[in-house]
Amino acid sequence: MKKAEEIFAEAKGLIERAADPAAIEELRIRYLGKKGEVTQILKGMGQLAPEERKEFGMKVNRIKADVEGLIEDKKRGFEQAGRSLRLAAEKIDVTEPGRDVPAGTKHMITITIDEISGIFMNMGYSVTEGPEVETVFHNFDALNAAPNHPSRELTDTFYITENTLLRTQTSPVQVRTLLSQAPPVKVVSPGRCFRTDTPDATHSPMFHQIEGLLVDEGVRMTDLKGTLDLFAKRMFGEGVRTKFRPHFFPFTEPSAEMDMSCFVCGGEDPSCRVCKGSGWIEILGCGMVHPNVLKVGGIDTERYTGFAFGMGVERIAMLKHGIDDIRLFYENDLRFVQQFYG
Ligand code: DAH
């Protein structure tokens, strides 16, 4: 039989080298269990002479207590190591920068509509919207378009039925406004328009316009010119000048197109890509509201006059940001979209 000291020395070595809690449990059973080596020695004490028993018993009990102590220490060591490991694994670095949540941005068309609307809102206009599916009445008849006006053609317009169509312009909102609101009227109206154009760098079957309408007593052409000149300066820079060229629109009389001086070259560069060297850029259509249109709204044309204007949102955005192909707006290529607001 092994001596108590030998058992202790061996147990101590094995406990120290135990690699995990399971190994420790095995050693506990091996030495301290019911049939454990230490337990066995204690049991064997009966064979000793009575005078030896006391001393031997004390010695073995001390050894037993020491082995228990060593096992407890080792177990605690394992528990502590486990806790540190778990803490390390669960550690939160509060200084770590947050993860980037990809947020969308407004589309260039929306940004441009907001910018244009904002300029007119600062001049006291409110924003109103009309339907994209319109009646022939609102889109053409009420706007004084002659029965044979070319834009009525099936080849130019998406008809839904004989009397309904996808609006070709935002001008029908003028009619809706005049039918629902008494003067003074001061609105702008952005939205989608549709024409059967084949897409190319400057045409798209779906595009956007923003319409303006002001009706009040004593409104004159100078009010129109002053308003739109101010708009051009706020949109493209204080330095731009404007000029008005006679034109024809069925719903205005007189009608004009407004050009602004080239905000890129100021008319100085004969090879300027933006104004093609002419020094001028056409930016919108406008005119004094035709009495026939006011009459649709039941407005006293002796008392009230007004002006209207309409512009292409894509065109304004392309000019302002140097975009050379209208199709870029609708392709949703992030490389394009994020260039401006990435
Ligand atoms: N609706 C016209 C177009 O699509 C643009 C326009 C011109 C609107 C003159 C107006 C205006 O209100 O007065 O070409």
Side-chain angles (χ1 to χ4, degrees):
M1 196 173 180
K2 274 191 242 168
K3 287 216 265 172
E5 288 82 355
E6 276 171 19
I7 294 175
F8 179 71
E10 182 191 274
K12 189 167 182 254
L14 288 173
I15 291 167
E16 272 166 10
R17 289 196 297 278
D20 52 42
I24 275 292
E25 178 61 9
E26 247 170 57
L27 289 172
R28 190 187 64 76
I29 293 165
R30 175 165 161 192
Y31 289 102
L32 307 174
K34 269 198 192 119
K35 293 181 181 159
E37 291 188 29
V38 177
T39 320
Q40 292 299 325
I41 299 187
L42 275 173
K43 277 185 186 160
M45 227 166 51
Q47 277 132 39
L48 289 179
E51 60 276 14
E52 288 173 337
R53 276 186 208 162
K54 187 177 170 200
E55 200 184 327
F56 184 79
M58 276 167 64
K59 186 172 79 184
V60 177
N61 273 322
R62 207 179 317 117
I63 286 174
K64 187 182 170 202
D66 285 351
V67 172
E68 274 170 358
L70 286 172
I71 286 179
E72 278 313 306
D73 286 354
K74 189 76 179 176
K75 264 194 189 163
R76 222 169 298 123
F78 280 133
E79 275 165 20
Q80 221 154 48
R83 244 196 317 277
S84 315
L85 255 143
R86 220 176 36 247
L87 280 179
E90 290 172 3
K91 187 172 154 203
I92 295 170
D93 179 1
V94 291
T95 66
E96 189 182 359
R99 264 186 219 135
D100 187 20
V101 180
T105 54
K106 285 186 184 175
H107 191 272
M108 170 68 96
I109 295 295
T110 308
I111 302 234
T112 307
I113 286 175
D114 287 353
E115 196 176 353
I116 299 170
S117 306
I119 291 171
F120 284 103
M121 281 158 79
N122 280 336
M123 294 193 239
Y125 288 71
S126 38
V127 178
T128 181
E129 283 185 273
E132 290 167 9
V133 178
E134 258 300 2
T135 65
V136 170
F137 170 76
H138 291 90
N139 196 83
F140 290 128
D141 302 333
L143 286 168
N144 200 38
N148 61 349
H149 193 275
S151 65
R152 289 183 186 251
E153 289 292 325
L154 277 165
T155 48
D156 290 334
T157 301
F158 292 110
Y159 282 90
I160 310 273
T161 67
E162 214 176 300
N163 297 314
T164 51
L165 43 69
L166 297 184
R167 66 178 177 188
T168 62
Q169 49 189 356
T170 44
S171 303
V173 184
Q174 289 190 38
V175 178
R176 291 187 174 272
T177 305
L178 293 175
L179 282 168
S180 65
Q181 201 178 315
V185 165
K186 218 174 166 185
V187 294
V188 287
S189 185
R192 281 190 195 95
C193 305
F194 308 85
R195 290 180 198 175
T196 59
D197 283 324
T198 304
D200 63 22
T202 54
H203 294 84
S204 164
M206 191 279 294
F207 59 100
H208 299 73
Q209 286 188 340
I210 186 158
E211 192 79 13
L213 175 68
L214 182 146
V215 179
D216 204 347
E217 287 180 59
V219 178
R220 299 179 300 173
M221 187 99 185
T222 47
D223 300 314
L224 160 67
K225 291 172 81 171
T227 300
L228 294 179
D229 183 77
L230 185 59
F231 161 71
K233 288 179 164 59
R234 296 225 167 129
M235 192 71 195
F236 289 98
E238 286 302 313
V240 306
R241 287 161 293 122
T242 53
K243 70 173 182 182
F244 292 78
R245 265 183 299 105
H247 199 76
F248 173 80
F249 297 105
F251 36 86
T252 43
E253 182 58 37
S255 304
E257 277 187 334
M258 183 174 89
D259 297 342
M260 72 177 177
S261 58
C262 183
F263 62 98
V264 175
C265 76
E268 305 286 314
D269 178 5
S271 62
C272 176
R273 286 178 62 225
V274 176
C275 68
K276 310 272 182 309
S278 74
W280 294 98
I281 305 167
E282 177 193 319
I283 60 165
L284 55 78
C286 58
M288 302 305 289
V289 181
H290 197 291
N292 287 353
V293 177
L294 292 175
K295 277 179 200 153
V296 173
I299 289 165
D300 178 355
T301 55
E302 292 300 317
R303 186 169 164 203
Y304 292 104
T305 47
F307 65 74
F309 54 89
M311 66 189 96
V313 175
E314 282 83 349
R315 181 168 167 73
I316 301 276
M318 287 167 82
L319 282 169
K320 184 152 178 163
H321 300 281
I323 298 160
D324 58 9
D325 196 317
I326 196 172
R327 289 167 292 196
L328 287 166
F329 289 121
Y330 318 115
E331 283 167 357
N332 288 332
D333 185 334
L334 289 180
R335 289 171 304 178
F336 172 74
V337 176
Q338 291 177 339
Q339 261 184 73
F340 303 102
Y341 311 102

